[in-house]
Amino acid sequence: MAIKANDVVALTYRLHTVENGEKVFVEETTAEQPLDFLYGVGMMLPKFEENIADLNIGDKISFELAPDDAYGQKDERAFAQLPVDMFKETGLPPVGEVLPLQDNQGNQFRAVVAEVTPEIVVADLNHPMAGKTLNFDIEILTVRPATEEELSHGHSHGVDGTQGH
């Protein structure tokens, strides 16, 4: 069964970034813990879905996504200077730590500590994969039509459609 819109797809992947022509391992899924998602509803990167369109169970594919087709270029303006007073109770975070933040509208997001000075903590608000070329090795494990409940919820309920939330 070839992948099409409103199918639930389960796949394994190995993700590398490509830095200075070299592949750097990021993460992978397994057949026991695959990535499953509702195809064609905007849950995945558009170019990711484009690359797996019309594949069938058992198909394998490798492809790269340039930054503009993935998480975009790193925006040098997307840094926030947080006063050290914010960290009175928890202590100053080290460079590289991921901070859970919230904006004035209550939206939650994460930032990575880029710099710490006696006065400020500089937080990088870019997506962690911004500016990176992504290399995927994928194997399609299952493809099935989404259930009515999955379609109404807008997401997969697991490989077999029975997972709750």
Side-chain angles (χ1 to χ4, degrees):
M1 176 174 173
I3 298 171
K4 62 186 182 321
N6 297 325
D7 280 344
V8 172
V9 177
L11 56 80
T12 59
Y13 70 85
R14 283 183 58 87
L15 171 61
H16 292 84
T17 55
V18 179
E19 300 172 27
N20 301 318
E22 298 289 322
K23 288 168 106 179
V24 177
F25 177 77
V26 175
E27 65 184 15
E28 69 182 329
T29 62
T30 64
E32 296 76 33
Q33 295 287 317
L35 168 66
D36 65 272
F37 61 96
L38 185 56
Y39 181 89
V41 297
M43 295 184 71
M44 303 300 288
L45 295 167
K47 289 291 185 178
F48 180 96
E49 287 195 349
E50 186 178 301
N51 275 279
I52 66 168
D54 298 322
L55 293 180
N56 293 284
I57 295 170
D59 286 350
K60 295 179 181 180
I61 187 171
S62 295
F63 58 88
E64 282 188 3
L65 298 181
D68 288 338
D69 292 330
Y71 294 99
Q73 298 295 335
K74 197 169 201 86
D75 183 349
E76 296 306 322
R77 298 167 299 169
F79 287 82
Q81 295 186 1
L82 308 174
V84 293
D85 293 353
M86 283 180 61
F87 304 94
K88 279 190 280 197
E89 293 178 21
T90 59
L92 289 176
V95 171
E97 183 170 310
V98 177
L99 300 175
L101 298 175
Q102 184 172 312
D103 65 17
N104 294 337
Q105 289 76 44
N107 299 310
Q108 296 182 356
F109 58 98
R110 297 185 184 280
V112 176
V113 176
E115 181 182 352
V116 178
T117 74
E119 298 82 29
I120 60 168
V121 173
V122 179
D124 182 351
L125 305 174
N126 285 286
H127 187 283
M129 292 291 141
K132 297 185 185 280
T133 297
L134 308 181
N135 177 280
F136 289 95
D137 295 311
I138 291 177
E139 181 177 1
I140 306 299
L141 300 177
T142 63
V143 178
R144 64 170 175 80
T147 65
E148 288 301 318
E149 186 176 37
E150 288 171 319
L151 292 172
S152 71
H153 290 182
H155 61 261
S156 165
H157 288 174
V159 174
D160 62 3
T162 62
Q163 287 179 351
H165 41 89

